[in-house]
Amino acid sequence: MADLGVECAGMRLGNPFLLASGIWGESGESLAGAVRAGAGGVITKSIGAEPRAGYPNPTIETYSEWGLLNAMGLPNPGIDEYPKEVAIALRAGAPVIGSVFAGDAAGFAELARRMAALGVAGLELNLSCPHAEGFGTEVGSEPRDVEEIVRTVVRSTRLPVIAKITPNTTDPAALARAAERGGAAAVSAINTLRALAINVRLRRPVLAHGLGGLSGRAIKPVGLACVWQIYEAVSIPVIGVGGIATAEDALEYVMAGARAVEVGTAIAFDGIAVFERLSRELSGLLDELGYARLEEAVGAAHPSKGNAAPASAGRGAISGAR
Amino acid sequence: MRTVVRVAERVEETPSTVTLRFPYEAPAAPGQFVMVWVPGDDELPMSLSYVNGPRKGVTVKVMGATSRRIQQIGPGDLLGIRGPYGNRFDLSPRRILLVGGGSGAAVLAPAAEAARARGGEVSVALGATRSSELLFRERFSAMGARVEVATDDGSEGHHGFVTEVADRWIADAPFDVVWTCGPEVMMRKVLASAAGRSVPVFCSLERHMKCALGMCDACAFGPFHVCTDGPVFSAEQLTRAEDFGRFHRDASGRRVPL
């Protein structure tokens, strides 16, 4: 059985599958449930300074197999109410990463400081929600803003800081480089792609907010391209996210350069049991390909790594292919 | 994806409760719910009060601004529907006690009809604030169920809580199962009555919902999500949810005492 354990941004993960922010993250018991279901770590809902109801429904549009469109609008109970949820989540034993959002660097730093005090293992900065006025993409689209926010947060905490990068830009790698300059321990990519659905019979957008973010299988190739470019551009770890529903999806991200991956929308289609299945199938896939450890496969598809074959493998037909 | 439906019929069931019937083909089972979108307004989870065939129905009580909007909707108006979602009542038990409070009868009525169609014996303890608010009383009687009512103001039937009727019945008669829907304080009393008499109880619950897909966590309830693990929960499951009868979560996810 291949070793799925990874070291990422100073955190030791039993497997590379993290619960993505926004999914199952409002309640501590849900976060703990994701750990029990096999997540290697969990990322909280993005928490802000104040309680926030988010947008009215409809907040979601579903597509049969290939994805979801959502505009939740960053609902969260606020940092004052959140400690009790984190305390419950921590009891499950896996790393809990606190996701935070704010409108400026000082706001991020204050939330990061308060989240860090709750005992989380790391912080993820939401610089990429595509549909919340004044937050997310609106503060995370310019490299200099990303660098300033990350630098300010890094100065306020000793915890590893992960910058979650938007794909809704021409050059995600430039944002990742900015995060690295600011002192980020890792970058995660991607958040959802800005998207829209219209109901023709009602002649109106489906989502109450109009624009939303697309997630799920449809966005995997986009996420892979971003991770690929970011891996070439930075030397800090990359966490891949976007459309991962199978072990092969995950390994694509790893070979594109990700050290860990986040899983979200797959839970809507396969339930929380998806974590156990992903680990089991990834282990089998690595065995089949001759990898003893997942970490050997990180970036393996990059020519700069010589399209690295498994260190532990012989000249199998697959591992030897160029 | 949502299906846009045209409302076919509007029935005022009680002064505060309205049923909307509309064509919706997707197969559904008693206990399940749909997400009902009022275009230009909110989208809410609603248990199906009519589940059979292509003409489904929901029964709405005025509680917030959107349910007031829904109450104004009539034949010809358009709704967006998705679902059905959630689990269902197990219809196999033979002797069934239903305990319904207020609009809780909306989800119990189709379950009772399905149980009757399988030859089940159905008894209904039906409660409301006053006589005129007793929901689906004639519907329960028409299906051949034994019905006893309770009203808070004593305007009809037992003057007091419906749980007092239920407690007496559970003590006197052997039931194979109890199904209940209504305020959580009411359902807690039903659970207490059944505890120690080895009658299984199933409760249909309500929580704030957004995605209805088991993802967004808006309806987090103990270790469960009401949208995918419920809305029907066993008494045993409810012992593992500290939320039950104590708090719900508002749209931001904050705990709000019930």
Side-chain angles (χ1 to χ4, degrees), chain A residues 24 26 30 45 60-62, chain B residues 1-2 214 216-217 252 255:
Chain A
W24 278 50
E26 244 165 50
S30 294
K45 203 104 170 169
I60 203 144
E61 173 68 320
T62 61
Chain B
M1 299 289 279
R2 287 163 182 76
C216 75
D217 219 27
S252 77
R255 301 169 177 210

Side-chain angles (χ1 to χ4, degrees), chain A residues 27-39:
Chain A
S27 106
E29 285 206 59
S30 294
L31 291 168
V35 173
R36 285 194 299 272

Side-chain angles (χ1 to χ4, degrees), chain B residues 207-230:
Chain B
R207 281 294 184 275
H208 192 92
M209 282 188 197
K210 294 181 181 178
C211 78
L213 304 172
M215 195 170 82
C216 75
D217 219 27
C219 67
F221 171 72
F224 308 110
H225 291 95
V226 173
C227 67
T228 48
D229 299 309

Side-chain angles (χ1 to χ4, degrees), chain A residues 233-321:
Chain A
V234 300
S235 52
I236 53 178
V238 186
I239 299 171
V241 49
I244 293 169
T246 69
E248 200 153 326
D249 297 333
L251 191 53
E252 277 192 85
Y253 270 99
V254 170
M255 288 186 171
R259 294 190 72 81
V261 294
E262 299 177 13
V263 178
T265 301
I267 293 164
F269 294 99
D270 299 340
I272 203 71
V274 71
F275 280 107
E276 191 278 331
R277 175 172 65 74
L278 284 169
S279 280
R280 177 167 34 83
E281 290 178 359
L282 181 58
S283 196
L285 182 57
L286 292 171
D287 288 347
E288 177 197 329
L289 300 181
Y291 286 102
R293 298 166 60 239
L294 177 66
E295 290 189 326
E296 291 170 20
V298 174
H302 283 263
S304 59
K305 288 201 93 178
N307 302 93
S312 48
R315 285 180 185 62
I318 298 168
S319 60

Side-chain angles (χ1 to χ4, degrees), chain B residues 75-147:
Chain B
D77 288 337
L78 298 176
L79 297 173
I81 306 289
R82 59 187 176 105
Y85 297 116
N87 64 358
R88 54 194 68 191
F89 287 105
D90 169 15
L91 299 171
S92 59
R94 262 195 58 75
R95 292 164 302 183
I96 302 159
L97 171 62
L98 276 60
V99 186
S103 58
V107 68
L108 297 176
E113 279 168 354
R116 287 291 297 147
R118 296 171 57 114
E121 296 168 19
V122 175
S123 303
V124 184
L126 186 63
T129 51
R130 65 186 76 91
S131 175
S132 61
E133 288 292 347
L134 289 162
L135 178 62
F136 289 146
R137 180 181 28 177
E138 289 74 27
R139 189 173 166 193
F140 285 118
S141 299
M143 70 180 78
R146 176 169 65 133
V147 183

Side-chain angles (χ1 to χ4, degrees), chain A residues 217-237:
Chain A
R217 307 188 87 139
I219 73 167
K220 185 186 74 172
V222 180
L224 281 168
C226 288
V227 167
W228 176 277
Q229 291 183 306
I230 291 169
Y231 180 78
E232 297 275 347
V234 300
S235 52
I236 53 178

